[in-house]
C-alpha cells in the first residue's frame, strides 16, 4: 500500500474493528444506508407469466461475476426464492460459499427482476449508484472475518444472519468520494483480474505441454534418429522399429475392488488395512490412506488387496486434466470405482506403464471398445485389451528418468504461477479493504493513459 498516501487527518470511529477512520467520514450501520432483503410486495401485482431472471448459487461468481441467462415465469419463483432487482447486491450467506466470496451486483435481469437461491442476502442501497461501493465493502476482510465468527448453525449448514449484515457498522465518505473509490477499485481490480487470467492460461498451457512431452516420450522414444515402423495402432502411427506392440493383459493382472458393507461395523471399526476411494488417484503417488477396513472385511468380502508398486486407475466418474492414474506406494485395498494393475512381466517397468496409462487415460476410458462417453465407465477386461507399446527395459528406464525430470520442471513452473495468483488475490483483497476503510486516500487518483 506504500504506493498510496493516507488521509491527512483521522479520528477514532468508536467501533473496535473500524479503528481510526478519516476525520470527515461518518459512522453508521448498513441498515442506515441500504435495505436488507426488500419485500416481494413490489412485484406481486405483476403478471404471473412475466419472465424474470433465475439465479441459483452456481450463477454467482467469487469476483463479482453473475450469470443472468436463466429465466423463469414469475409465478414459478415468487414463492421459495429471494427477490432481487437491478442494482441490488447479493452475497452468499451459507458456508462455504460465503467464505469463498460469492457475491455480485444484479445487472441486466430479465424485466429488471430476479429470484435467487434463498442462500443469499440481498442488500439494496438507498442510492442506486452506491452498489459497486457497497459490494466492495462487503468483500473486505473486516466484514468477512466478523461475519464468519457470528455464523449460526453447524457444520456445512452454517449461515450469516441477515440481521448481522443489517447491523454491521461501517464508515462512509460523502457520495462523490464513494464514487471515486468505486471507480478506483474497478480499474485496479480489473488489472489484477486480467493478470490472474493470464497466469491461469499459462497453467493450462504448461499442463498441455507437460502431457505432450509424456505422450511423445512413451510413443516415439528419446532418439529422434531411430528407425521407425508402423505401430498398427491407429492413434499412435509410427514407433521405433525395435519396440514391441502388445496388450496390457499379457503383462499385468487387472482387478477392481469393492466396498465392505457400512452396516457391519466389524468391517470398519479399528481397521488397520488402508482402503482407497476415487479421490486418492488425484495424486500421482499414493502415500497414505484416509480410511481403513479390518482383517475380517478382507477375508469375508470381495475387496481385493493392492500391493505396493501397483497402479490404481479410476474406472468411473469424470477424468481430471492430469489423468486418473496413480502409483500406489502402500499396501491397501480399493473400492469398486477403481482398478488395480499389477505388473507381472519382468520386462515391463511399472513406472513406464504408469506414464503410458497417464498419457492415454482418456482413450482407455472413452475410446476403448465397449466404453464411450455415454457409458462413462470401463471394465477390467477392456483395460486389459488396451494396447501397450514396449521399448526394451533399459530404454523404459531412460524414458522414465527423462520424463520425471521434465515433469518436475513443468510442475515447478505451475507452482510459481499458482503462487503468483495467490499473491495477486491477496493484493486484490488488501487493496479493496484499504480503500473502503479509509487507509488510503484515492481522491486525487486518475486512471493512467491507455
Amino acid at each position: 500500500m506504500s504506493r498510496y498516501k493516507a488521509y491527512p487527518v483521522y479520528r477514532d470511529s468508536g467501533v473496535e474493528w473500524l479503528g481510526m477512520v478519516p476525520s470527515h467520514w461518518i459512522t453508521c450501520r448498513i441498515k442506515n444506508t441500504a435495505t436488507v432483503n426488500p419485500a416481494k410486495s413490489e412485484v406481486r401485482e405483476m403478471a404471473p407469466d412475466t419472465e424474470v431472471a433465475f439465479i441459483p448459487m452456481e450463477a454467482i461468481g467469487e469476483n463479482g461475476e453473475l450469470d443472468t441467462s436463466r429465466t423463469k415465469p414469475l409465478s414459478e419463483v415468487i414463492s421459495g426464492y429471494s427477490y432481487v432487482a437491478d442494482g441490488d447486491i447479493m452475497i452468499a450467506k451459507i458456508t462455504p460459499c460465503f467464505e469463498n466470496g460469492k457475491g455480485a451486483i444484479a445487472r441486466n435481469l430479465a424485466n429488471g427482476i430476479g429470484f435467487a437461491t434463498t442462500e443469499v442476502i440481498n442488500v439494496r442501497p438507498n442510492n442506486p449508484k452506491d452498489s459497486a461501493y457497497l459490494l466492495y465493502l462487503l468483500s473486505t476482510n473486516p466484514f468477512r472475518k466478523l461475519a464468519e465468527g457470528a455464523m449460526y448453525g453447524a457444520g456445512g449448514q452454517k449461515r450469516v444472519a441477515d440481521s448481522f449484515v443489517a447491523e454491521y457498522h461501517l464508515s462512509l465518505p460523502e457520495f462523490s468520494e464513494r464514487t471515486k473509490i468505486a471507480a478506483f477499485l474497478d480499474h485496479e481490480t480489473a488489472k489484477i483480474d486480467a493478470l490472474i487470467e493470464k497466469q491461469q492460461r499459462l497453467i493450462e498451457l504448461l499442463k498441455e505441454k507437460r502431457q505432450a512431452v509424456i505422450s511423445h516420450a512413451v510413443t516415439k522414444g528419446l532418439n529422434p534418429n531411430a528407425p521407425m515402423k508402423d505401430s498398427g495402432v491407429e492413434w499412435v502411427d509410427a514407433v521405433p522399429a525395435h519396440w514391441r506392440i502388445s496388450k496390457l493383459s499379457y503383462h499385468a493382472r487387472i482387478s477392481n475392488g469393492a466396498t465392505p458393507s457400512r452396516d457391519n461395523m466389524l468391517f470398519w471399526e479399528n481397521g488397520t488395512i488402508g482402503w482407497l476411494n476415487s479421490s486418492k488417484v488425484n495424486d500421482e503417488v499414493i502415500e497414505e490412506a484416509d480410511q481403513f477396513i479390518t482383517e475380517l472385511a478382507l477375508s469375508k468380502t470381495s475387496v481385493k488387496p493392492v500391493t505396493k508398486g501397483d497402479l490404481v486407475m479410476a474406472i468411473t466418474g469424470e477424468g481430471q486434466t492430469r489423468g486418473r492414474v496413480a502409483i500406489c506406494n502402500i499396501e491397501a485395498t480399493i473400492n469398486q470405482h477403481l482398478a488395480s494393475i499389477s505388473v507381472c512381466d519382468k520386462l515391463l517397468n511399472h513406472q513406464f506403464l504408469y506414464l503410458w496409462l497417464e498419457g492415454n487415460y482418456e482413450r482407455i476410458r472413452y475410446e476403448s471398445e465397449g466404453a464411450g462417453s455415454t457409458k462413462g465407465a470401463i471394465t477390467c477386461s477392456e483395460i486389459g485389451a488396451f494396447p501397450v507399446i514396449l521399448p526394451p527395459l533399459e530404454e523404459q528406464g531412460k524414458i522414465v528418468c527423462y520424463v520425471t525430470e521434465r515433469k518436475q520442471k513443468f510442475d515447478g513452473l505451475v507452482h510459481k504461477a499458482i503462487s503468483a495468483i495467490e499473491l495477486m488475490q491477496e493484493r486484490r483483497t488488501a487493496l479493496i479493504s484499504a480503500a473502503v476503510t479509509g487507509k488510503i486516500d484515492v481522491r486525487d487518483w486518475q486512471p493512467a493513459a491507455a
Side-chain angles (χ1 to χ4, degrees), residues 140-212:
T140 60
N141 278 334
F143 171 78
R144 294 200 164 272
K145 287 181 179 178
L146 283 168
E148 286 178 32
M151 279 180 153
Y152 66 93
Q157 298 298 310
K158 295 179 69 175
R159 293 175 173 85
V160 177
D162 300 356
S163 58
F164 173 87
V165 176
E167 298 294 332
Y168 180 77
H169 282 91
L170 66 155
S171 189
L172 283 179
E174 61 184 20
F175 174 69
S176 61
E177 194 172 341
R178 298 199 296 271
T179 303
K180 190 64 171 283
I181 291 171
F184 163 78
L185 289 174
D186 285 345
H187 186 271
E188 295 300 313
T189 58
K191 290 197 299 184
I192 294 171
D193 291 343
L195 291 171
I196 289 173
E197 186 177 348
K198 287 182 179 180
Q199 291 295 313
Q200 289 170 334
R201 179 56 182 153
L202 174 62
I203 291 171
E204 292 174 6
L205 291 172
L206 287 169
K207 288 181 176 180
E208 289 174 8
K209 180 65 175 174
R210 180 186 191 271
Q211 197 63 35

Side-chain angles (χ1 to χ4, degrees), residues 30 144 171 255 270 282 312 418:
I30 285 180
R144 294 200 164 272
S171 189
S255 60
N270 299 319
N282 288 326
V312 177
I418 291 172

Side-chain angles (χ1 to χ4, degrees), residues 87-105:
D88 292 356
I89 303 158
M90 294 172 287
I91 61 168
K93 65 181 179 181
I94 191 169
T95 191
C97 299
F98 175 79
E99 294 90 335
N100 291 341
K102 278 182 170 281
I105 299 171

Side-chain angles (χ1 to χ4, degrees), residues 96-320:
C97 299
F98 175 79
E99 294 90 335
N100 291 341
K102 278 182 170 281
I105 299 171
R107 293 191 177 103
N108 304 315
L109 305 179
N111 291 302
I113 295 166
F115 281 83
T117 167
T118 56
E119 298 297 354
V120 300
I121 299 173
N122 182 21
V123 179
R124 178 174 297 172
N126 295 341
N127 186 332
K129 295 181 180 179
D130 265 341
S131 296
Y133 183 87
L134 277 178
L135 179 60
Y136 282 126
L137 185 130
L138 295 172
S139 303
T140 60
N141 278 334
F143 171 78
R144 294 200 164 272
K145 287 181 179 178
L146 283 168
E148 286 178 32
M151 279 180 153
Y152 66 93
Q157 298 298 310
K158 295 179 69 175
R159 293 175 173 85
V160 177
D162 300 356
S163 58
F164 173 87
V165 176
E167 298 294 332
Y168 180 77
H169 282 91
L170 66 155
S171 189
L172 283 179
E174 61 184 20
F175 174 69
S176 61
E177 194 172 341
R178 298 199 296 271
T179 303
K180 190 64 171 283
I181 291 171
F184 163 78
L185 289 174
D186 285 345
H187 186 271
E188 295 300 313
T189 58
K191 290 197 299 184
I192 294 171
D193 291 343
L195 291 171
I196 289 173
E197 186 177 348
K198 287 182 179 180
Q199 291 295 313
Q200 289 170 334
R201 179 56 182 153
L202 174 62
I203 291 171
E204 292 174 6
L205 291 172
L206 287 169
K207 288 181 176 180
E208 289 174 8
K209 180 65 175 174
R210 180 186 191 271
Q211 197 63 35
V213 166
I214 296 172
S215 296
H216 187 273
V218 298
T219 56
K220 305 299 181 186
L222 305 181
N223 180 5
N225 300 315
M228 307 295 281
K229 69 178 179 182
D230 181 18
S231 67
V233 180
E234 180 181 355
W235 42 267
V236 173
D237 196 18
V239 298
H242 61 289
W243 288 19
R244 291 184 297 146
I245 293 89
S246 185
K247 289 185 177 180
L248 182 55
S249 60
Y250 298 162
H251 309 277
R253 292 186 297 272
I254 305 157
S255 60
N256 77 309
T259 300
S261 172
R262 295 282 185 178
D263 295 330
N264 190 339
M265 292 307 298
L266 294 177
F267 291 161
W268 295 92
E269 200 168 52
N270 299 319
T272 58
I273 301 168
W275 180 82
L276 311 175
N277 59 26
S278 300
S279 66
K280 297 303 293 184
V281 292
N282 288 326
D283 302 323
E284 292 190 20
V285 179
I286 300 171
E287 298 286 2
E288 59 183 4
D290 299 325
Q291 301 181 64
F292 299 87
I293 61 172
T294 62
E295 293 282 355
L296 182 66
L298 186 60
S299 63
K300 297 294 185 181
T301 70
S302 58
V303 69
K304 299 287 194 305
V306 177
T307 303
K308 184 176 180 179
D310 285 356
L311 308 183
V312 177
M313 185 172 80
I315 56 175
T316 65
E318 291 301 317
Q320 304 296 313

